[in-house]
Amino acid sequence: MAVPRRLTSAAIRSRKGKRFPVITAYDTPFARCAEAAGIDVVLVGDSLGMVVLGFDATTPVELADMSRHAAAVARGTSRAHLIVDMPFGSYEPSDADAVRSAVGLVKSGAGSVKLEGGSHVAPRIAAIVAAGIPVVAHVGVLPQTAGIGEGYRRKHDRSALLADALAVEAAGAYAIVLEMVDAAVAAEVTSALAIPTIGIGSGAECDGQVLVLHDVLGLYPDAPPFAKRYAELATVATDALRAYAADVRDGAFPPDLAAAASDVPLYAVGAIPRV
Ligand code: KIV
């Protein structure tokens, strides 16, 4: 059977003017769920640091963390385009550092990389694109430096945001994330650019929308107000674990081995159920 080809950045670029969903993922099981749900643009975000690794910011995330989790998401998908975040410190020092970091992420499975910043990172974007690696830009609230810099307040400065968006487009970005940008400004940026905008907390007029998986599934207690919860998986998981613990304490699990139907090891190759 022919293996389906992954969606390219050019295919995502051509979604300008069409609404499309993007979700974050960090591991193989949830990457499988995203693809089974028909979401074909998956962001391995450095939100990893907060929603999976338990930090209170994305700043501590290392390049090795992103590579490890990008590879796990790649193993759980076959068609989805994978955007992988370049973590704080992996692109700021020089164009050469930025290209080296981006190359490492591509080797781990990235179809494109994303980095935060406007005009000031345009040279980094141009250098990575010149190395043949597609880039997604990210303007508005910049989580990597928000805690040590401008904070998490919504961005309203129309001329600064437009200038940043046009600069990263001119540098070669094929798409741009707008995080917590005033909705009217996000709409104006969306019509000013030829590349798709992907909004998060930036209103309905962006081309695409992205949300953090753990916010959507009810797995992160501090989800931002703009994120919509579509499930309460933390509750489901806690209830399941409570039932398991009670069964062990009561002797209801494990069942009597003599009465068990089969001796086949549960984790025999091929026995692990696929979503
Ligand atoms: O790291 C991340 O998940 C992101 C999204 C918030 C866009 O950059």
Side-chain angles (χ1 to χ4, degrees), residues 89-175:
S90 71
Y91 57 93
E92 291 86 346
S94 68
D95 288 354
D97 283 305
V99 172
R100 195 174 307 111
S101 302
V103 166
L105 293 176
V106 169
K107 286 179 189 286
S108 301
S112 58
V113 297
K114 175 167 83 59
L115 63 155
E116 295 185 6
S119 316
H120 69 285
V121 297
R124 300 287 183 270
I125 293 174
I128 299 168
V129 171
I133 300 170
V135 175
V136 177
H138 183 147
V139 307
V141 167
L142 306 178
Q144 289 176 357
T145 47
I148 51 175
E150 291 188 4
Y152 292 90
R153 256 191 240 292
R154 180 172 295 284
K155 302 289 179 192
H156 297 273
D157 187 339
R158 176 186 169 277
S159 58
L161 287 160
L162 259 175
D164 278 338
L166 289 167
V168 297
E169 179 178 55
Y174 78 87

Side-chain angles (χ1 to χ4, degrees), residues 24 26 43 45-47 85 114 116 138 177 179 200 210 212:
T24 67
Y26 316 94
L43 167 65
D46 62 356
S47 46
D85 262 341
K114 175 167 83 59
E116 295 185 6
H138 183 147
V177 167
E179 179 156 358
I200 176 160
V210 59
V212 169

Side-chain angles (χ1 to χ4, degrees), residues 14 20 26 41 51 55 58 62-64 75 81 91 108 110 140 157 161 180-181 203 208-209 235 237 249 256 259 263:
S14 71
F20 61 94
Y26 316 94
V41 187
V51 301
F55 293 115
T58 61
E62 301 289 351
L63 191 61
R75 287 190 289 272
H81 180 84
Y91 57 93
S108 301
D157 187 339
L161 287 160
M180 287 189 71
V181 169
Q209 295 289 332
T235 308
R249 287 185 192 114
D256 183 1
D263 281 338

